[in-house]
């Protein structure tokens, strides 16, 4: 029926032919196919709380949130309401690091307000991209946990490179101070230590995902 009741997450567009109602097109929001698995990866990475901030109606938002596994839903929000949510205890009770992921121009203010703003875009939403610290250009939500994994691995490798370089340099200085190695050898060892540290740091470029 053209006038059958719509579900809370549905909306309709009507088609008329020669001024006479002929059809109804029912539209429904659906989550990205890999949204649920991506959110599960975030939880495995130690993300403590996942929240949905949306301008959609409450009933529709909760249906989508239920499908992807989000319990904390804030619906019918204006852009300024989203900013308030991420800058107060609404989303982060312990005031830990807040990361906002958004894909539209309306998300630009909240991306700028969050500790980490991550914009997902296909290249058309420049406002969101310019407001974010991280930009995903393939518009794939699976890149969110992957970006976190890359950042963590990079930090770990850089710390290893720095600490290993300092440790080797310290050993070399102690050895040189007690004349265990000639000065010239010590100078060459320092250069070798620098090369080793740089090469170790470059392993962060390896794709291990």
């Amino acid at each position: 029926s053209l006038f059958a009741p719509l579900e809370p997450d549905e909306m309709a567009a009507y088609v008329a032919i020669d001024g006479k109602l002929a059809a109804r097109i029912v539209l429904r929001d659906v989550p990205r196919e890999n949204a649920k698995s991506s959110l599960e990866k975030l939880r495995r990475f130690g993300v403590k709380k996942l929240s949905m901030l949306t301008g959609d109606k409450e009933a529709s938002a909760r249906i989508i949130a239920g499908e992807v596994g989000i319990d904390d839903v804030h619906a019918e929000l204006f852009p300024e309401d989203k900013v308030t949510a991420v800058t107060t205890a609404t989303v982060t009770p312990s005031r830990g690091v807040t990361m906002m992921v958004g894909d539209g121009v309306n998300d630009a203010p909240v991306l700028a307000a969050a500790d980490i703003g991550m914009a997902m875009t296909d290249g058309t939403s420049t406002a969101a991209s310019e407001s974010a610290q991280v930009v995903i250009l393939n518009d794939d939500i699976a890149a969110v946990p992957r970006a976190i994994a890359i950042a963590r691995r990079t930090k770990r490798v850089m710390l290893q490179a720095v600490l290993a370089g300092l440790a080797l340099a310290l050993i070399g200085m102690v050895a040189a101070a007690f004349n265990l190695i000639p000065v010239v050898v010590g100078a060459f060892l320092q250069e070798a230590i620098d090369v080793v540290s740089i090469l170790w740091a470059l392993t962060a470029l390896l794709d291990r995902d």
Side-chain angles (χ1 to χ4, degrees):
S1 172
L2 293 179
F3 299 102
L6 296 171
E7 294 296 327
D9 59 337
E10 294 178 341
M11 58 182 176
Y14 295 88
V15 180
I17 300 176
D18 295 330
K20 184 177 180 181
L21 189 61
R24 180 178 73 165
I25 301 173
V26 177
L27 306 174
R28 178 182 181 271
D29 284 332
V30 294
R32 297 169 188 254
E33 60 180 13
N34 55 353
K36 186 173 183 178
S37 60
S38 297
L39 296 180
E40 289 173 350
K41 286 183 180 179
L42 290 177
R43 288 191 177 90
R44 289 199 296 271
F45 286 163
V47 175
K48 295 180 180 179
K49 185 175 183 180
L50 293 171
S51 301
M52 174 188 285
L53 306 179
T54 178
D56 293 345
K57 292 182 178 180
E58 180 87 17
S60 177
R62 290 199 174 278
I63 290 173
I64 298 297
E67 291 179 3
V68 298
I70 295 178
D71 298 323
D72 187 43
V73 180
H74 304 265
E76 301 180 36
L77 301 180
F78 291 107
E80 57 268 28
D81 298 325
K82 294 181 181 181
V83 172
T84 300
V86 301
T87 55
T88 65
T90 305
V91 173
T92 52
S94 61
R95 277 309 297 146
V97 175
T98 302
M99 183 174 75
M100 172 68 187
V101 181
D103 62 359
V105 65
N106 289 336
D107 292 324
V110 69
L111 288 172
D115 296 318
I116 302 172
M118 182 176 291
M120 293 195 308
T121 177
D122 56 4
T124 58
S125 183
T126 56
S129 300
E130 291 173 0
S131 301
Q133 289 81 40
V134 182
V135 180
I136 297 172
L137 293 175
N138 62 359
D139 202 28
D140 184 3
I141 196 171
V144 175
R146 189 165 186 268
I148 293 175
I150 290 172
R152 289 182 175 180
R153 186 177 73 244
T154 300
K155 180 180 179 180
R156 183 173 63 251
V157 170
M158 291 303 177
L159 284 174
Q160 290 172 350
V162 170
L163 293 176
L166 289 174
L168 292 173
L170 183 60
I171 293 172
M173 285 188 290
V174 171
F178 287 94
N179 293 320
L180 298 177
I181 56 174
V183 175
V184 175
V185 173
F188 277 108
L189 282 176
Q190 181 59 55
E191 296 302 321
I193 290 170
D194 291 342
V195 171
V196 169
S197 298
I198 293 170
L199 291 176
W200 187 263
L202 288 174
T203 62
L205 296 175
L206 299 176
D207 190 349
R208 298 176 182 176
D209 294 336

